[in-house]
């Protein structure tokens, strides 16, 4: 019996090459005589991928493939968790930043992706949950956090990750604007005037490959990083440290790990959260780590030797 694939695809992601790449992957699998069926659901709007994932008849398939950027992957993961879909998930990256795929070194060439499906390795990974929504990679707020869903799709397609920071630079005029946060874990309470904050399960966030230097995908913990109020002249030096993973020794950085976090803002201002690059709920919020929430398909390193 060959592979039985359920593919959920955002056809407009990644310069609209996703469709061609998936077709090439399917063709390669067929040429190797290892494919039984490949059923594709195309997304046309928000939450389509979640709906498709929730309705999977898992006895009919061997694996689920999410094709798109971080937002599409988030929706598929959300649907699989809500629908109690226990099939392994493969991620075919075709978005702009793709933090999670960057850390896992997932292949983007169709033949390489096909070979990963044929000779794969399975790993269990944690997910974050904020109120009633899930995130595979990152929850964020503050300066730059809304750039991912405010940047026009055409700009992201043409410029890639640079688009986020071009748009973000427009916010530097409000560098003095901070968020009076309270963060409560089971062990500690932190009060801090935050410029921005990130809660992640992955080391790579927003194209910064070593932002969460101690993150582990299946340790049952989320990594929390808060950047405190900084002067304008301190911004670029701090971001340079972040780029090379040497920012934890800065007195402007609060960093800790937890499996449960209650976050609130000590003002009347509405603080909207970014959930895997999409607009999420507003503070206050409760954030939890869901241990071993998803089984991922990753390259089998032995096959690459």
């Amino acid at each position: 019996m060959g592979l039985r694939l359920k593919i959920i695809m955002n056809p407009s992601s990644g310069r609209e090459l996703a469709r061609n790449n998936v077709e090439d992957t399917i063709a390669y699998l067929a040429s190797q005589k290892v494919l039984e069926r490949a059923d594709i659901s195309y997304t046309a709007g928000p939450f389509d991928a979640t709906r498709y994932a929730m309705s999977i008849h898992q006895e009919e398939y061997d694996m689920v493939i999410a094709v798109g950027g971080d937002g599409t992957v988030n929706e598929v993961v959300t649907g699989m968790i809500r629908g109690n879909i226990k099939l392994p998930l493969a991620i075919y990256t075709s978005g702009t930043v793709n933090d999670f795929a960057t850390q896992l070194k997932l292949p983007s060439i169709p033949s390489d992706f096909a070979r990963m499906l044929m000779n794969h390795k399975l790993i269990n990974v944690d997910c974050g949950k904020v109120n009633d929504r899930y995130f595979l990679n990152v929850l964020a707020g503050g300066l730059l956090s809304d750039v991912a869903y405010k940047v026009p799709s055409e700009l992201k397609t043409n410029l890639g990750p640079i688009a986020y920071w071009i748009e973000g630079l427009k916010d530097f005029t409000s560098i003095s604007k901070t968020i009076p946060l309270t963060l409560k874990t089971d062990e500690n309470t932190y009060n801090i005037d935050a410029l921005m904050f990130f809660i992640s399960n992955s080391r790579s966030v927003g194209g910064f490959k070593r932002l969460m230097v101690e993150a582990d995908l299946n340790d049952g913990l989320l990594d929390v990083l808060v950047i405190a109020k900084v002067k304008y002249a301190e911004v670029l030096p701090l971001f340079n440290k972040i780029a090379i993973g040497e920012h934890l020794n800065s007195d402007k950085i609060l960093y800790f790990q937890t499996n449960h976090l209650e976050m609130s803002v000590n003002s009347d201002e509405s603080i909207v959260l970014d959930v895997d690059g999409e607009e999420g709920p507003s503070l206050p919020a409760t954030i939890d780590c869901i241990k071993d929430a998803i089984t991922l398909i990753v390259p089998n390193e032995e096959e690459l030797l």
Side-chain angles (χ1 to χ4, degrees):
M1 180 182 293
L3 292 173
R4 301 171 301 166
L5 311 179
K6 175 61 179 180
I7 302 169
I8 301 175
M9 181 194 310
N10 178 355
S12 65
S13 181
R15 299 179 176 85
E16 301 185 0
L17 292 176
R19 195 185 307 239
N20 290 336
N21 287 340
V22 168
E23 290 176 355
D24 289 346
T25 298
I26 292 172
Y28 185 93
L29 292 171
S31 72
Q32 301 299 306
K33 305 187 186 309
V34 296
L35 182 67
E36 180 175 332
R37 64 186 288 189
D39 299 335
I40 305 177
S41 295
Y42 296 99
T43 64
F47 309 114
D48 280 353
T50 295
R51 179 165 51 87
Y52 294 147
M54 289 182 66
S55 62
I56 291 173
H57 297 287
Q58 51 190 333
E59 69 278 1
E60 298 181 6
Y61 302 101
D62 300 307
M63 59 186 67
V64 180
I65 302 176
V67 184
D70 289 338
T72 301
V73 173
N74 172 277
E75 288 195 20
V76 172
V77 167
T78 296
M80 292 180 69
I81 294 175
R82 289 179 178 173
N84 197 31
I85 305 300
K86 298 300 184 181
L87 295 171
L89 172 67
I91 299 173
Y92 199 136
T93 62
S94 61
T96 306
V97 177
N98 300 303
D99 289 309
F100 206 77
T102 296
Q103 177 168 341
L104 292 172
K105 300 179 181 179
L106 300 180
S108 58
I109 297 173
S111 58
D112 291 342
F113 189 82
R115 285 192 289 270
M116 181 186 74
L117 300 182
M118 294 165 55
N119 303 291
H120 60 263
K121 175 182 177 182
L122 298 180
I123 63 170
N124 292 326
V125 299
D126 307 333
C127 285
K129 183 180 182 182
V130 52
N131 296 348
D132 62 346
R133 291 184 60 173
Y134 297 90
F135 58 98
L136 186 62
N137 187 50
V138 65
L139 174 75
L143 181 72
L144 301 180
S145 65
D146 60 355
V147 171
Y149 56 83
K150 284 187 176 180
V151 173
S153 296
E154 182 178 353
L155 183 60
K156 288 194 289 185
T157 295
N158 291 333
L159 296 181
I162 296 174
Y164 292 102
W165 311 121
I166 289 177
E167 187 69 17
L169 286 172
K170 298 177 183 178
D171 284 344
F172 277 173
T173 55
S174 59
I175 196 72
S176 61
K177 185 178 180 181
T178 57
I179 304 168
L181 285 181
T182 295
L183 303 95
K184 293 183 179 180
T185 71
D186 292 337
E187 297 82 20
N188 297 295
T189 297
Y190 304 92
N191 292 292
I192 184 171
D193 286 330
L195 184 63
M196 64 185 84
F197 56 88
F198 306 90
I199 303 169
S200 180
N201 189 40
S202 168
R203 292 183 183 180
S204 179
V205 175
F208 289 105
K209 296 182 180 181
R210 289 178 284 182
L211 183 68
M212 301 298 201
V213 294
E214 298 178 6
D216 188 315
L217 297 177
N218 57 2
D219 62 357
L221 298 171
L222 296 172
D223 288 54
V224 181
L225 185 146
V226 183
I227 300 179
K229 183 177 181 179
V230 296
K231 297 178 182 178
Y232 186 86
E234 296 173 318
V235 172
L236 288 180
L238 181 58
F239 269 71
N240 287 336
K241 285 188 175 183
I242 290 173
I244 60 176
E246 295 184 356
H247 50 290
L248 295 193
N249 59 359
S250 170
D251 61 0
K252 302 299 182 181
I253 298 290
L254 169 65
Y255 185 93
F256 61 91
Q257 295 176 309
T258 185
N259 63 1
H260 175 79
L261 177 67
E262 295 177 12
M263 180 179 291
S264 59
V265 58
N266 304 316
S267 73
D268 295 330
E269 184 179 3
S270 176
I271 303 299
V272 179
L273 301 172
D274 171 293
V275 181
D276 278 345
E278 303 295 330
E279 186 173 358
S282 300
L283 292 178
T286 299
I287 301 104
D288 291 290
C289 182
I290 311 300
K291 175 69 174 168
D292 295 335
I294 291 289
T295 299
L296 279 186
I297 293 172
V298 298
N300 188 335
E301 296 181 0
E302 294 181 359
E303 295 290 335
L304 300 177
L305 296 178

